[in-house]
Amino acid sequence: MAPYILRRMKTTGRSSPICRQDRGQGACHLSRKQAALYARAVASLEDDLDSAGGIARKGLVLASLMRLKQICNHPSQWLGDQAWRKRTAANGRVSAISRR
């Protein structure tokens, strides 16, 4: 069994029955918890980069980008505490969407 991805094909024209894609862009601030985790992750990266070199340094940067993305999405993605299942104000994006 292999994974599959549903996507639009380039041959799909505007006359097809596929729903219109809605995209939006908005700015929101990090919560205090996110900002603290983000600052800690950046400080950790700075310390680790001093001692790393070559391919290890590139791997460290890539892992740190993933960590920062997870912190920005929701802090519990990085912490692994499953708090995202509850509606908490730990995520600035959730707060911004709730205000709409």
Side-chain angles (χ1 to χ4, degrees), residues 36-90:
L37 287 171
Y38 198 95
R40 195 178 329 157
V42 169
S44 173
L45 174 62
E46 289 173 347
D47 293 342
D48 294 342
L49 282 178
D50 291 337
S51 61
I55 193 74
R57 184 178 177 101
K58 291 179 182 180
L60 185 61
V61 170
L62 184 61
S64 296
L65 286 173
M66 180 65 86
R67 179 188 319 177
L68 295 173
K69 178 183 173 284
Q70 288 174 333
I71 291 170
C72 289
N73 283 339
H74 197 288
S76 65
Q77 275 189 324
W78 172 247
L79 297 173
D81 60 4
Q82 302 293 318
W84 56 270
R85 292 181 184 266
K86 305 171 204 133
R87 286 210 149 214
T88 62

Side-chain angles (χ1 to χ4, degrees), residues 11-26:
T11 58
T12 306
R14 291 192 182 262
S15 62
S16 72
I18 296 176
C19 297
R20 189 172 67 88
Q21 197 177 58
D22 290 330
R23 290 186 182 186
Q25 187 175 9

